[in-house]
Amino acid sequence: MKKNNNNNSNKDIAIIGASIRFPKSNELNEFWEQLLSKKCLITPIPRERFSKYTFSEESISELNFDNICGGFIDDVDCFDASFFNISPREAMFMDPQQRMAMELTWKAIEDAGYRASTIKGTKTGVFMGACNNDYTEIMEKEVKEIDAYMPTGTSPAVISNRISYWFDFNGPSMTIDTACASSLVAIHQAVRSLQMEDCDCAIAGGVNLCWTPRRFIALSQSGMLSKDGKCKAFDENADGYVRSEGGGVLVLKPLDKAVEANDDIYAVIKGIGTNHGGRTNSLTITNPKAHAELLTEVYEKAGISPDTVSYIETHGPGTPLGDPIEIHGLKTAFDTLGKLFDKDLEHHHCGLGSVKTNIGHLEAAAGIAGIIKVIISMKYQTLPASINFKKLNPVINLSKSPFYIVNETKPWEKIQGDGNSCYPRRAGVSSFGFGGSNSHIILEEYDNGCKEGNKAYNELVDNNIIEDLIFIPLSAKNTKSLNNYVQNLMNYLKGLCVRFSNDVEKPSELNNRLKDIAYTLQTGREPMKERVIFITKDITSLINQLEDFLQNKRGINNCWQGCADKDKDTDNILLEETDMQVLINKWMSEKNFKKMAALWIRGYSFDWDILYSQIKPKRIHLITYPFNRKHYWMDCYNNKAGKKEKDTSEILKVKPMVTQNIVKTKETKVSLEPVKYTNNKNVKVSDKIQIDISLEKLQKKLTMSLAGVLYIEISDVNIDKKFIDIGLDSIIAVEWIRSINKQYKTSLTATVVYDYPSIREFSTYLYKTLNGSGEQAEKILMSEPITDRYNNENVNKPKGILLQDLHENPTQLLKSTVMDKPKITLNTIDTGLSQVCASKMPITETNEHKNITSDRLQRELAETLAEVLYIDLEEVNIDKKFIDLGLDSIVAVEWIRLINKKYKTSIIASEVYEYPSVKEFSFFLQKQINVEGNKELIQSYEEMDLNRIIEDVYRGNLDIDKADEILNGHL
């Protein structure tokens, strides 16, 4: 039985990157150390997980906290929102499973040795498994106010879709829920997509977090949870499984493409499959017949003989019934495969283990946890023990089978083949969902025939053009993360030295590894703002440099630190890109590496490959970005009203304002003259308001207010950073601009943040706006509601207003007299409106809307849209697409029905797709309202007292241009 390599559906897939967050383990190497030490990473349930947010103490008391345990992630309520340019407000409503998936994806891409930007816009697919919605359940119970971010924050689909969106991937994107088989089924979909060329690269894995006691209570009542909080897979005392949380992500690529790109390959996927057990005695019981059929099919299609498989990472939940059923299915499958491949399988050559004995059952992420265990076991050629095993479950019979329990850590030996050859290490991983889904994957170690000790690889020692000097660049979003990065690299290098301490090839091995580390950091990490670069000759020297840096020593030899934002604009003026490349080549030829290092820390990027000859070092699996996580939880939102500033500082520890980035300018007084109506005949301006503010102070105030609406630290707001990169989206922009308008008496629209997209640019614009008193008074006048100007019915209205002059030059109102050269002079407005006028032409909603202004129509549409979407009015940006505000086809029908009723129109709901924002739709609606209304409008005013026209103009019911048309055409 041989695999048909010409069949595209059987194409081998390489695992080139991986990342994890498991209980007590955040990196693969850390997890491996836990496995080798035979640690059980299960702990009692943290009581604060439940008592603070969800069930009452009475409900929680149903759990015996002394016995019910689980595997829990530390600081899982924290997230590096600023790294992903996500505002704290949005982060609060994001299911932590979404947050975890984003961070894991970034780390997996880096672990593969790639910059995220290099695969932007590619056919990269995203396939994530998830089955818990605990955060949604908590939100429904605890959050008192509905927020626009709730739909996207709680949707399981967005776990994968948000990754595709943020990283700009164009391949398939799906979240899969097959309960405990979810992550392995997601990987199955990813593999099939790659084999069918639906995508060129795939992100696949699963996430699982436990926030409520609901499932703990239900599973405990049904007797499915272990009574002592230990998973005892295959043991005679197995009494139930242990719930756990965590996540893992893989980067997958067709093997031939990975080899061509010289990727560092963890393992090769030789086969994978999934099926369902159909109807059995119970929904939650695995069908051993279906399980056996699945394994037989997967191994047969892959052409993998069962005698070459030396390990199976079982589903192994540790339940008294589930374990024997799984073993029975395995035995049946291998018995069938032995006959198909004509192999004798009676000797015990294939070990069985379960990672659930170490970290518990990760449910949706159980499959990825098993895969991670296998690929790092292949890397270190060791099979770690399956712990908590003392005596085999009497229902399980392994005699006359190829299987044995790996109850002690042992070397993972290769299976001898024909002659002197050996088969590569091969393993299978199984995962079952409690609803009947089964999945199995075959993994094989990758051997490229060119290990580090080979002569061809050792030649790389001399391939660095600048003699033996090695560039080690590190960068991060902020100084804290940069320091953590340096610390992590130092720890990694020290561990590397320990592993090579007894190796006779240590000097050449370490030197080659250091070149791989440097090349990976140079080409496989995004260059960020805060930067440091070290130039070294060997690992020992580099470790000393890193230690000196962490101790803040000055004058570190061959070390440069800087900020990418500083002075770069000036340099860009002096040097074009082509000039810079010429200069770099010149420095290269002169071996002037110090100038190259100094250039890089100032923000320049250049082709690192020019440092090497034709054969380059390898991108390797290396430490990844250290996220600077902060607490984001929905309880922050509940208390924001009236306490936002206080709560923000408590949660995020807001630091004093950092002013070094604020431009210092000469303080200039800004005076603003508000429009004020009096009892006099003429319109006058009085009571000048002095706003003593300089551009520098305005920048500070804007920085503080922006930090307030985004719930971030003031020091995190760089005045030159784009708003979108700080996390300001169109929803929060409306709220922010509204607060600015209120404070400075302006009438800015939220779209101004796109025209002036940073604090520096926006503050300059606002400063100029405030400084132009006449223009500003006009804006106040045009935006101020009539009810605010006439808040007392007995106040005399201004008399003798000239409509055309007002239209052409509204600032005319600021003059002492506006009656010099009237085009049409009207009588003084009667403050009460005559009964005769009212009887002749009553004010109706129809006539009012037929002459509605664009601004007022937009406000009314925003109000109704906010109402049907259950969001705050300030969250409705008139320029934002309806789809981005959450308006779907169902709600659109309801909204259009309200519009038709209010404005006496007959618009169909599909018009929201033709005019997809409030602004665009308002222009369309205004035309529809006025199509049949112009004649009726003019006729209605023919019989009216002219005072009524003026009154309607002031009330905003009649446009000035239309009033002029009526007056000039009919008087």
Side-chain angles (χ1 to χ4, degrees):
M1 301 291 296
K2 290 187 177 180
K3 176 179 176 179
N4 182 6
N5 291 319
N6 294 324
N7 188 344
N8 209 41
S9 64
N10 288 332
K11 183 186 297 184
D12 289 341
I13 302 299
I15 301 174
I16 64 172
S19 63
I20 64 165
R21 280 191 77 183
F22 291 163
K24 310 303 179 185
S25 304
N26 292 324
E27 301 287 346
L28 268 68
N29 288 336
E30 183 181 12
F31 182 51
W32 178 246
E33 294 298 328
Q34 303 280 29
L35 293 177
L36 286 183
S37 63
K38 299 182 182 180
K39 285 186 179 180
C40 177
L41 305 176
I42 305 303
T43 61
I45 299 174
R47 182 174 289 269
E48 63 273 11
R49 276 289 182 105
F50 303 148
S51 61
K52 185 174 181 181
Y53 301 114
T54 56
F55 289 70
S56 64
E57 286 294 334
E58 291 76 13
S59 299
I60 295 174
S61 64
E62 297 182 29
L63 285 173
N64 185 341
F65 276 87
D66 294 331
N67 294 328
I68 305 300
C69 301
F72 297 96
I73 302 297
D74 296 331
D75 301 323
V76 75
D77 57 334
C78 298
F79 176 53
D80 194 345
S82 63
F83 181 90
F84 295 98
N85 303 326
I86 293 174
S87 70
R89 177 175 173 180
E90 182 173 8
M92 291 174 191
F93 292 99
M94 286 173 61
D95 187 329
Q97 293 178 137
Q98 291 186 23
R99 309 176 196 170
M100 180 185 289
M102 291 190 72
E103 291 184 349
L104 288 174
T105 299
W106 181 274
K107 283 180 169 289
I109 293 171
E110 284 196 338
D111 183 67
Y114 284 91
R115 296 178 179 178
S117 60
T118 61
I119 55 177
K120 177 181 179 181
T122 63
K123 286 177 61 178
T124 297
V126 179
F127 308 83
M128 297 298 296
C131 66
N132 281 339
N133 59 353
D134 288 12
Y135 201 66
T136 303
E137 179 182 335
I138 300 173
M139 195 175 293
E140 290 172 351
K141 286 182 65 69
E142 300 297 325
V143 177
K144 301 173 183 177
E145 302 178 33
I146 302 298
D147 191 89
Y149 288 124
M150 285 182 176
T152 54
T154 58
S155 170
V158 178
I159 294 175
S160 53
N161 294 167
R162 191 185 290 274
I163 294 171
S164 298
Y165 163 76
W166 195 87
F167 287 89
D168 194 14
F169 296 152
N170 302 136
S173 183
M174 61 187 75
T175 303
I176 294 171
D177 181 0
T178 55
C180 306
S182 296
S183 60
L184 199 49
V185 173
I187 293 170
H188 171 265
Q189 292 297 312
V191 169
R192 291 290 179 258
S193 183
L194 288 165
Q195 291 172 337
M196 300 306 294
E197 299 183 353
D198 292 332
C199 60
D200 300 324
C201 180
I203 306 297
V207 288
N208 188 73
L209 295 176
C210 309
W211 289 107
T212 76
R214 177 172 51 86
R215 293 196 186 193
F216 282 93
I217 294 172
L219 293 169
S220 179
Q221 290 175 343
S222 63
M224 296 181 67
L225 296 185
S226 171
K227 294 180 177 58
D228 61 0
K230 293 182 180 180
C231 173
K232 300 176 284 292
F234 318 121
D235 191 81
E236 64 176 353
N237 293 319
D239 61 350
Y241 83 91
V242 179
R243 294 194 73 202
S244 281
E245 57 188 20
V249 166
L250 303 177
V251 180
L252 308 178
K253 201 175 187 180
L255 178 61
D256 56 346
K257 300 295 184 183
V259 173
E260 181 183 350
N262 198 28
D263 292 326
D264 196 3
I265 300 172
Y266 277 113
V268 179
I269 298 175
K270 303 293 290 186
I272 191 170
T274 184
N275 72 0
H276 191 274
R279 188 173 182 85
T280 61
N281 292 333
S282 173
L283 172 68
T284 59
I285 295 179
T286 301
N287 184 339
K289 183 175 181 294
H291 175 212
E293 291 173 349
L294 173 64
L295 266 65
T296 302
E297 179 182 359
V298 171
Y299 284 88
E300 184 179 4
K301 283 185 176 180
I304 300 295
S305 175
D307 65 320
T308 67
V309 180
S310 51
Y311 181 72
I312 297 290
E313 175 64 25
T314 65
H315 185 63
T319 58
L321 181 60
D323 292 349
I325 289 177
E326 180 177 6
I327 299 299
H328 178 74
L330 275 170
K331 290 170 59 179
T332 302
F334 271 59
D335 182 60
T336 302
L337 288 168
K339 295 175 182 177
L340 286 172
F341 285 86
D342 193 22
K343 300 293 181 179
D344 180 12
L345 302 176
E346 289 193 1
H347 62 286
H348 302 302
H349 74 275
C350 185
L352 303 178
S354 175
V355 73
K356 294 177 180 64
T357 59
N358 302 97
I359 60 175
H361 188 357
L362 270 64
E363 297 173 338
I368 187 70
I371 290 175
I372 293 295
K373 176 184 174 181
V374 168
I375 64 176
I376 56 176
S377 296
M378 286 180 171
K379 178 180 178 179
Y380 294 105
Q381 302 174 12
T382 302
L383 289 175
S386 185
I387 63 175
N388 299 329
F389 179 83
K390 295 180 180 179
K391 187 176 181 180
L392 188 66
N393 187 326
V395 183
I396 298 174
N397 182 8
L398 296 180
S399 62
K400 295 184 179 181
S401 79
F403 304 113
Y404 68 95
I405 306 299
V406 182
N407 60 342
E408 293 293 337
T409 300
K410 56 175 289 187
W412 190 350
E413 304 291 350
K414 290 185 177 182
I415 294 178
Q416 190 71 32
D418 297 332
N420 295 325
S421 64
C422 292
Y423 292 105
R425 295 173 180 84
R426 290 172 176 165
V429 180
S430 292
S431 193
F432 308 140
F434 75 164
S437 292
N438 309 307
S439 192
H440 188 82
I441 188 173
I442 307 171
L443 300 172
E444 179 180 284
E445 71 175 342
Y446 176 69
D447 186 353
N448 63 2
C450 182
K451 297 296 183 182
E452 288 84 348
N454 291 353
K455 180 179 179 180
Y457 189 82
N458 286 334
E459 291 176 354
L460 289 175
V461 174
D462 301 321
N463 277 337
N464 194 324
I465 292 178
I466 307 181
E467 298 178 347
D468 293 328
L469 297 173
I470 300 173
F471 288 72
I472 305 292
L474 294 173
S475 67
K477 293 269 189 173
N478 50 68
T479 54
K480 180 179 179 180
S481 292
L482 182 63
N483 289 334
N484 290 338
Y485 219 154
V486 173
Q487 180 72 59
N488 292 346
L489 179 60
M490 185 182 69
N491 294 341
Y492 171 82
L493 294 175
K494 288 182 176 179
L496 197 63
C497 290
V498 171
R499 288 197 294 272
F500 282 97
S501 60
N502 298 320
D503 194 331
V504 294
E505 299 289 337
K506 176 185 174 183
S508 61
E509 284 282 334
L510 283 179
N511 196 34
N512 285 341
R513 185 61 64 91
L514 182 57
K515 288 184 178 292
D516 293 338
I517 291 170
Y519 188 67
T520 302
L521 293 174
Q522 292 163 5
T523 63
R525 300 295 184 267
E526 293 288 351
M528 300 180 189
K529 176 183 174 182
E530 299 294 336
R531 302 186 179 192
V532 62
I533 189 168
F534 303 91
I535 298 180
T536 188
K537 290 187 176 182
D538 54 60
I539 285 185
T540 302
S541 299
L542 178 57
I543 290 175
N544 292 334
Q545 289 174 298
L546 297 174
E547 288 179 334
D548 289 345
F549 179 86
L550 292 172
Q551 293 172 10
N552 295 318
K553 290 186 177 180
R554 297 181 178 273
I556 302 173
N557 189 37
N558 289 333
C559 172
W560 292 263
Q561 182 180 7
C563 179
D565 290 346
K566 293 182 178 179
D567 302 324
K568 187 178 178 182
D569 291 339
T570 303
D571 296 341
N572 285 335
I573 297 174
L574 300 176
L575 290 171
E576 298 291 339
E577 183 177 350
T578 54
D579 298 331
M580 182 59 66
Q581 190 59 51
V582 171
L583 185 59
I584 291 173
N585 291 338
K586 180 176 182 294
W587 289 342
M588 283 285 298
S589 63
E590 297 173 351
K591 299 181 180 180
N592 196 335
F593 55 89
K594 293 183 178 180
K595 287 187 177 180
M596 293 181 63
L599 189 67
W600 183 79
I601 65 169
R602 290 165 70 91
Y604 285 95
S605 298
F606 47 85
D607 185 5
W608 290 98
D609 286 339
I610 62 178
L611 295 176
Y612 308 96
S613 62
Q614 186 176 0
I615 302 177
K616 300 179 180 63
K618 294 166 53 181
R619 294 188 307 273
I620 62 172
H621 307 301
L622 191 62
I623 59 168
T624 56
Y625 188 83
F627 290 113
N628 183 24
R629 299 186 179 101
K630 297 179 181 178
H631 172 77
Y632 298 106
W633 194 259
M634 63 187 75
D635 60 349
C636 308
Y637 186 74
N638 278 340
N639 300 322
K640 70 180 178 66
K643 295 185 179 180
K644 181 185 296 185
E645 185 174 348
K646 179 180 178 181
D647 285 351
T648 300
S649 62
E650 286 177 352
I651 297 168
L652 302 179
K653 299 181 180 178
V654 178
K655 299 176 182 177
M657 177 66 185
V658 178
T659 60
Q660 57 264 33
N661 287 332
I662 304 296
V663 176
K664 294 185 177 181
T665 61
K666 181 179 179 180
E667 294 203 2
T668 304
K669 306 295 183 181
V670 178
S671 60
L672 181 62
E673 299 182 358
V675 175
K676 202 164 188 179
Y677 291 93
T678 69
N679 293 331
N680 299 332
K681 282 188 175 183
N682 300 323
V683 179
K684 296 182 179 180
V685 177
S686 60
D687 298 335
K688 178 183 290 189
I689 299 176
Q690 291 287 337
I691 301 181
D692 296 332
I693 189 169
S694 66
L695 179 56
E696 178 185 6
K697 188 173 181 181
L698 185 60
Q699 287 172 350
K700 290 181 181 180
K701 286 184 174 293
L702 290 175
T703 299
M704 294 172 67
S705 64
L706 181 60
V709 296
L710 292 177
Y711 300 174
I712 61 177
E713 296 183 24
I714 298 174
S715 57
D716 289 337
V717 180
N718 185 323
I719 67 170
D720 291 306
K721 196 171 185 179
K722 301 298 183 185
F723 288 135
I724 191 172
D725 294 331
I726 299 175
L728 182 69
D729 59 14
S730 55
I731 296 175
I732 301 180
V734 174
E735 179 181 333
W736 187 46
I737 293 300
R738 177 166 295 184
S739 67
I740 291 172
N741 286 335
K742 182 177 181 181
Q743 182 174 359
Y744 297 106
K745 308 300 181 183
T746 52
S747 57
L748 307 177
T749 61
T751 55
V752 73
V753 300
Y754 302 112
D755 297 324
Y756 306 94
S758 68
I759 288 290
R760 187 189 298 277
E761 295 174 85
F762 180 65
S763 63
T764 302
Y765 164 75
L766 180 58
Y767 178 80
K768 292 179 179 179
T769 300
L770 294 176
N771 209 25
S773 58
E775 176 186 3
Q776 190 57 31
E778 170 196 344
K779 293 184 178 181
I780 296 174
L781 171 66
M782 300 305 293
S783 64
E784 189 174 4
I786 189 75
T787 53
D788 293 337
R789 299 199 299 267
Y790 300 135
N791 53 18
N792 189 326
E793 293 184 357
N794 295 322
V795 174
N796 293 331
K797 279 79 172 179
K799 302 178 181 181
I801 298 298
L802 185 64
L803 294 183
Q804 184 62 31
D805 286 353
L806 173 60
H807 170 59
E808 292 181 350
N809 185 16
T811 56
Q812 189 78 7
L813 286 173
L814 299 178
K815 299 180 180 181
S816 59
T817 304
V818 294
M819 295 297 300
D820 294 339
K821 295 181 180 179
K823 179 179 179 181
I824 299 175
T825 304
L826 303 178
N827 295 329
T828 303
I829 297 175
D830 181 358
T831 58
L833 281 185
S834 67
Q835 293 294 325
V836 175
C837 178
S839 63
K840 285 184 179 180
M841 189 64 193
I843 299 176
T844 64
E845 184 179 53
T846 302
N847 286 328
E848 176 184 346
H849 294 308
K850 283 181 179 178
N851 302 282
I852 194 169
T853 64
S854 297
D855 289 343
R856 179 175 174 182
L857 186 57
Q858 288 171 6
R859 288 198 301 270
E860 292 183 357
L861 288 175
E863 290 171 355
T864 57
L865 183 60
E867 182 179 352
V868 296
L869 291 177
Y870 294 174
I871 61 177
D872 294 335
L873 177 59
E874 53 267 25
E875 296 173 28
V876 180
N877 184 326
I878 63 172
D879 291 299
K880 191 171 185 179
K881 302 298 183 185
F882 287 135
I883 192 171
D884 294 331
L885 290 170
L887 184 69
D888 57 19
S889 57
I890 298 175
V891 182
V893 172
E894 177 185 346
W895 187 48
I896 294 299
R897 186 180 293 121
L898 292 174
I899 290 171
N900 286 333
K901 182 178 180 180
K902 181 171 184 177
Y903 299 105
K904 310 301 181 184
T905 52
S906 55
I907 297 170
I908 58 176
S910 60
E911 297 293 357
V912 299
Y913 303 110
E914 298 294 330
Y915 309 95
S917 69
V918 170
K919 179 180 285 186
E920 294 176 80
F921 186 76
S922 68
F923 295 148
F924 163 73
L925 178 59
Q926 190 174 36
K927 292 179 181 178
Q928 295 300 308
I929 293 173
N930 291 325
V931 162
E932 299 298 331
N934 284 338
K935 292 182 180 179
E936 180 182 349
L937 174 66
I938 294 174
Q939 291 172 358
S940 68
Y941 278 108
E942 284 180 346
E943 300 178 359
M944 289 180 59
D945 191 298
L946 295 181
N947 293 337
R948 172 61 191 283
I949 300 176
I950 304 301
E951 184 72 15
D952 279 359
V953 169
Y954 276 114
R955 290 192 181 279
N957 298 337
L958 181 62
D959 184 73
I960 293 175
D961 284 335
K962 186 58 62 182
D964 277 332
E965 179 184 343
I966 296 170
L967 292 171
N968 291 315
H970 297 279
L971 289 182

